[in-house]
Amino acid sequence: MAKKKGDEKVNQTPQSDNEEQNFDEEPDFDDPEGYVDDIPDEELLADLLEKKPKESDGYENVIVVDGCPQVGPERLEKLQSVINKIFGKFGKIVSDFYPTNENGTTTGYIFLEYDNPQNAAEAVKATNNCKLDKQHTFLVNLFTDFKKYSEIPKEWEPPAPQPFKVQSDLQWYLMDPDAYDQFLVGIGTGVALQVWQNALPEPVLLQERPNWTETYAVWSPLGTYLATFHWRGVALWAGPKFSQFQKFYHPEARFISFSPCENYIVTFSPSSDRGDDKKLIIWDIRTGQEKRSFPPPDEYVTWPIFRWSKDDKFFARLGADVLSVYETPGFGLLDKKSIKIPGIRDFSWSPTDNVLAYWVAEDKDVPARVTLLELPNRTEIRSKNLFSVADCKIHWQKSGDYLCVKVDRYSKVKKDKNDIKYSGMYYNFEIFHMREKEIPVDSVEIKEPIQAFAWEPVGSKFAIIHGDPANICISFYQVNTGQAPTLLKKFENKPFNHLFWSPLGQFIVLANFGLTGGALEFLDTNDFTIMNVSDHYQMSGIEWDPTGRYVVTGVSSLKCKMDCGYYIRSFQGKVLKRVMKEGFAQFHWRPRPPTLLSEKQQKEIKKNLKKYYSQFESKDRMRSNKASKELVAKRTEQMKKYVEYREAKKQEWTEQKPRRLELRNYVDTDGLDTDQANTVEEIVEFFVKEEQTIIE
């Protein structure tokens, strides 16, 4: 280091007259012999080491995009803008290169360099084979792949076996010894999510994450996965720790639907920038692969656009005078052609069979028609003509035993150019007996306007809310074999407009939704006993749990900003827990898959239910008294030790029997204790507890 002039006077040392002063000589900065440097580089050169080149820097960050449009200099800027918009989502693009020929026209391939290899790999995975337009499809590869593929050895060697990785248990929630159900709670328009276990005496929080989703979340049909939405696409979570199971790149996807067996998922992005052909995509859930994409619907349709058969073998889509049925796993049209059905308006799959029902509107002198179509052979197994039809709604019973088609009929019709007005409306319910020979059809006619209709999920009853707002009636019908449905009960002057059957049937909740709604009535349809009458002001939703033991009523912040939260009730309507949460947005019970027990086994369990009653009652009593887990564990351990000790002594007593007989001159006296004549009964009474109840 050079000396400063000011420092010379301070550091100057006296020198003899004979010593020659040489200020031009360079100082010696070498370390003395034997010196050991114990200061690490991370401490001395921390700022420089951050910029130290890494092995991953360089070619690993570069991708090659082939299939780009070949444009001249005047359109190059526009092409660069499009490319940056598409590929800039995956990370920062450090540099780009557009090769050109001697005329200045791009060659159709470009080089893009990202700031890290992870972003480059993600861009390749998401954009390869992505269509820019009808003439151009991107073929995207890492730059290093070209060298890798060019150096493939001529002799093939089998890959080394990979260590087995244990997959997380996707059905862990079904193994709970007490069969507790789980539920999802969304807070703040669904941004924060909580997963709870409906344990007793208090629910237990299993998982809570802020910013888990950007909009809302849904369970899969069998409860295996939890789906969340993000700006890049959809993610599925599963396992005991709700780790990420799969993700699907579909920017700004807002709607999803699962196939019934959870093999496939459909995503729809109204504003996706992956091209019109990529707005509706079907994915394989296990592999995460895109199976097929479709252009968006030409006009407004209800979601889901694709409707699946019960076994995931077929899915169908409604078009203009056509019904397009596709098959899996090829995802092509069934028999390579759509079914032409002029005037088709709606269709619905049977929940248990590969049968779909559709209805066709009237056309001049041709009546409307409801048809049952069996697939894949396309056989019409039943058809019924209907006259004076304005609209139809298809309602399948959950067990697939019955089909109800609600038919809106008219007495007069007036046509004004593109507008059709109906008057003198009345309604019919056409009941198809799916399990009977030749599928007979019965009809129930209602003169008043229909507010709601619902099948009993397990059983043969259905309920109808009908009448004018000033006089609402609720009617319950029983479907019988070989005869028309019979009216079981009719309630008049009821303030309800929605029906919610228990998943196991028998019990139903009557509810009133509206600006000032909230009235509730809990009904047992075996004898039509009103079990409870309650209310939940500004109520926005009702959900039964999968077992039919609990029902939840809630007020979402999306509807009302005051008193947001949910009530957990028993099936009889008694409020068990009130939870008030600011920003409460959604509540969903976790679905359960169908039982593996046969009907015979289920009947046997119900028949012998009294055997288990005392065991369940004991558990419920312990929970209601909030017995500590430590005390329960201690008592369980003591009971286990007692049983082991008793079994050991019992075995010892059995082994000693020959010796006892020998000592008693071979007279068996072991049974004398059970002799009633020599038994004395003693009754002991003791005080249990004393309770005082203050009645105001």
Side-chain angles (χ1 to χ4, degrees):
M1 182 180 292
K3 295 182 180 180
K4 296 181 181 179
K5 293 182 179 181
D7 293 338
E8 293 179 1
K9 298 180 181 179
V10 177
N11 298 328
Q12 190 173 355
T13 56
Q15 297 181 1
S16 62
D17 296 337
N18 298 328
E19 289 181 347
E20 184 180 356
Q21 296 183 4
N22 188 359
F23 294 102
D24 295 332
E25 184 181 352
E26 290 291 336
D28 184 9
F29 289 102
D30 293 337
D31 294 328
E33 185 177 355
Y35 175 79
V36 178
D37 187 1
D38 57 352
I39 302 178
D41 292 342
E42 288 76 6
E43 182 177 345
L44 290 175
L45 308 172
D47 54 341
L48 294 178
L49 288 177
E50 290 181 358
K51 302 177 182 179
K52 180 181 178 181
K54 305 182 182 67
E55 292 183 3
S56 59
D57 295 342
Y59 296 132
E60 292 82 357
N61 301 7
V62 179
I63 66 173
V64 183
V65 184
D66 200 356
C68 298
Q70 298 181 11
V71 300
E74 68 279 357
R75 299 181 57 192
L76 179 59
E77 185 177 352
K78 183 177 181 180
L79 176 62
Q80 291 175 332
S81 176
V82 173
I83 294 298
N84 290 335
K85 181 179 179 182
I86 295 175
F87 291 90
K89 296 178 179 179
F90 307 101
K92 182 180 179 182
I93 298 177
V94 178
S95 63
D96 55 16
F97 177 60
Y98 292 75
T100 58
N101 55 24
E102 60 276 4
N103 299 326
T105 304
T106 58
T107 55
Y109 59 90
I110 60 175
F111 298 87
L112 300 177
E113 181 183 0
Y114 286 92
D115 57 353
N116 62 69
Q118 291 78 18
N119 293 345
E122 187 177 353
V124 171
K125 182 179 179 181
T127 59
N128 189 33
N129 291 320
C130 178
K131 287 187 177 181
L132 178 64
D133 52 37
K134 293 182 179 180
Q135 289 79 27
H136 300 90
T137 301
F138 289 139
L139 299 176
V140 188
N141 294 278
L142 290 171
F143 185 80
T144 52
D145 288 344
F146 291 90
K147 182 179 180 181
K148 179 177 68 175
Y149 295 138
S150 64
E151 297 177 352
I152 296 177
K154 295 182 179 180
E155 295 183 1
W156 178 82
E157 294 181 1
Q162 298 295 325
F164 175 74
K165 294 182 180 180
V166 180
Q167 187 184 38
S168 61
D169 185 6
L170 301 182
Q171 276 74 39
W172 64 278
Y173 62 98
L174 300 174
M175 304 303 295
D176 184 81
D178 294 310
Y180 288 136
D181 283 296
Q182 298 178 10
F183 57 86
L184 173 73
V185 176
I187 305 171
T189 64
V191 172
L193 298 178
Q194 299 174 340
V195 179
W196 293 80
Q197 187 177 50
N198 191 32
L200 291 176
E202 293 291 333
V204 177
L205 181 62
L206 300 179
Q207 195 72 231
E208 181 178 17
R209 297 180 191 174
N211 304 319
W212 201 347
T213 182
E214 295 183 6
T215 52
Y216 63 101
V218 293
W219 295 107
S220 59
L222 303 180
T224 308
Y225 310 105
L226 175 64
T228 57
F229 293 83
H230 310 272
W231 73 270
R232 286 191 177 183
V234 176
L236 298 185
W237 311 81
K241 297 183 179 180
F242 289 93
S243 55
Q244 189 177 94
F245 178 81
Q246 198 60 265
K247 59 182 179 180
F248 309 95
Y249 177 74
H250 198 181
E252 300 184 24
R254 290 295 174 262
F255 300 95
I256 64 171
S257 64
F258 289 85
S259 62
C261 299
E262 297 184 345
N263 292 318
Y264 308 102
I265 186 175
V266 184
T267 61
F268 177 55
S269 175
S271 57
S272 176
D273 57 1
R274 296 185 62 181
D276 287 342
D277 293 341
K278 295 287 186 178
K279 290 189 175 182
L280 192 61
I281 304 177
I282 301 179
W283 311 82
D284 186 289
I285 290 180
R286 287 284 180 174
T287 63
Q289 293 180 348
E290 177 183 327
K291 305 305 293 187
R292 182 167 177 179
S293 60
F294 295 84
D298 296 332
E299 55 186 16
Y300 173 77
V301 293
T302 57
W303 184 260
I305 297 175
F306 293 113
R307 305 175 193 178
W308 294 83
S309 62
K310 58 97 180 179
D311 54 5
D312 285 8
K313 289 185 178 179
F314 307 100
F315 62 98
R317 178 183 186 181
L318 188 64
D321 295 335
V322 295
L323 181 64
S324 300
V325 181
Y326 303 85
E327 58 182 345
T328 60
F331 290 87
L333 276 170
L334 181 64
D335 297 335
K336 298 183 179 180
K337 60 181 179 179
S338 298
I339 306 173
K340 294 184 179 181
I341 309 175
I344 185 172
R345 294 295 180 84
D346 196 11
F347 76 98
S348 179
W349 286 95
S350 166
T352 55
D353 304 288
N354 284 335
V355 175
L356 59 80
Y358 67 86
W359 77 277
V360 177
E362 292 179 330
D363 184 15
K364 298 180 181 179
D365 296 332
V366 180
R369 185 177 78 257
V370 175
T371 302
L372 296 175
L373 189 67
E374 188 178 48
L375 292 170
N377 52 18
R378 305 192 182 194
T379 303
E380 291 189 5
I381 58 177
R382 189 66 165 90
S383 182
K384 182 175 177 60
N385 292 333
L386 303 170
F387 299 90
S388 303
V389 176
D391 192 17
C392 288
K393 291 290 186 293
I394 301 173
H395 302 276
W396 283 96
Q397 191 225 21
K398 185 178 179 181
S399 303
D401 297 334
Y402 304 100
L403 166 68
C404 174
V405 179
K406 172 183 166 287
V407 185
D408 298 359
R409 299 180 182 269
Y410 60 87
S411 300
K412 296 180 181 180
V413 59
K414 183 178 179 181
K415 298 182 179 180
D416 295 333
K417 296 181 180 180
N418 296 329
D419 190 18
I420 301 177
K421 295 182 179 180
Y422 300 101
S423 60
M425 299 296 295
Y426 62 101
Y427 307 89
N428 276 78
F429 293 90
E430 306 293 334
I431 310 297
F432 292 73
H433 297 248
M434 298 299 298
R435 306 303 182 195
E436 297 182 32
K437 187 177 180 179
E438 297 182 355
I439 311 180
V441 181
D442 294 321
S443 182
V444 176
E445 183 173 322
I446 303 291
K447 297 293 185 181
E448 300 90 353
I450 305 299
Q451 304 292 336
F453 172 92
W455 279 106
E456 184 181 20
V458 181
S460 56
K461 294 191 286 287
F462 62 86
I464 306 172
I465 299 180
H466 55 94
D468 298 320
N471 182 23
I472 295 293
C473 300
I474 303 176
S475 299
F476 291 86
Y477 287 84
Q478 175 75 45
V479 180
N480 303 300
T481 303
Q483 58 182 352
T486 56
L487 179 64
L488 297 178
K489 186 71 174 180
K490 182 177 181 180
F491 296 94
E492 297 183 353
N493 295 322
K494 291 287 187 178
F496 304 115
N497 51 21
H498 284 77
L499 302 164
F500 297 91
W501 282 97
S502 166
L504 301 183
Q506 181 178 347
F507 305 106
I508 190 172
V509 178
L510 311 177
N512 185 347
F513 290 159
L515 296 177
T516 59
L520 294 165
E521 196 166 282
F522 296 80
L523 195 67
D524 183 352
T525 59
N526 271 0
D527 53 8
F528 294 98
T529 302
I530 299 176
M531 300 182 295
N532 200 340
V533 176
S534 182
D535 63 72
H536 193 167
Y537 183 68
Q538 294 285 7
M539 178 176 56
S540 59
I542 293 178
E543 272 215 31
W544 282 92
D545 81 314
T547 65
R549 292 179 292 177
Y550 302 96
V551 61
V552 168
T553 60
V555 179
S556 172
S557 61
L558 303 178
K559 176 186 176 182
C560 178
K561 301 300 181 183
M562 302 294 293
D563 299 329
C564 300
Y566 58 91
Y567 294 176
I568 301 179
R569 305 170 183 263
S570 68
F571 71 96
Q572 297 173 323
K574 179 182 177 181
V575 177
L576 304 177
K577 186 175 182 60
R578 290 180 172 89
V579 180
M580 309 307 296
K581 284 186 177 291
E582 183 179 355
F584 167 74
Q586 61 176 146
F587 183 103
H588 295 297
W589 289 101
R590 186 170 194 168
R592 284 179 173 267
T595 178
L596 299 177
L597 300 177
S598 64
E599 292 187 5
K600 183 179 179 180
Q601 290 173 320
Q602 295 181 53
K603 289 181 180 179
E604 190 69 21
I605 292 175
K606 292 179 180 179
K607 181 180 178 181
N608 301 322
L609 193 60
K610 291 183 179 179
K611 294 182 180 180
Y612 315 109
Y613 178 76
S614 58
Q615 177 184 352
F616 296 147
E617 186 182 30
S618 175
K619 285 187 176 182
D620 291 342
R621 189 184 302 114
M622 292 169 62
R623 297 188 189 105
S624 62
N625 293 334
K626 298 183 179 180
S628 65
K629 294 183 179 180
E630 294 80 5
L631 182 60
V632 173
K634 183 179 178 181
R635 290 177 177 175
T636 304
E637 185 65 24
Q638 289 177 341
M639 185 64 182
K640 181 180 178 181
K641 290 181 179 180
Y642 164 73
V643 171
E644 292 176 352
Y645 175 80
R646 187 176 184 275
E647 291 297 326
K649 291 301 179 183
K650 185 177 180 180
Q651 183 178 358
E652 182 182 350
W653 181 78
T654 303
E655 293 174 353
Q656 293 175 351
K657 185 170 184 176
R659 178 59 178 166
R660 289 197 304 272
L661 290 175
E662 183 182 353
L663 293 174
R664 298 172 184 176
N665 295 325
Y666 296 97
V667 176
D668 190 359
T669 59
D670 291 345
L672 293 178
D673 292 340
T674 60
D675 187 3
Q676 297 293 332
N678 298 324
T679 302
V680 178
E681 182 179 359
E682 182 178 353
I683 301 176
V684 179
E685 296 182 356
F686 58 92
F687 181 75
V688 180
K689 66 177 180 179
E690 181 180 358
E691 294 183 353
Q692 293 183 355
T693 304
I694 301 176
I695 302 177
E696 297 181 356

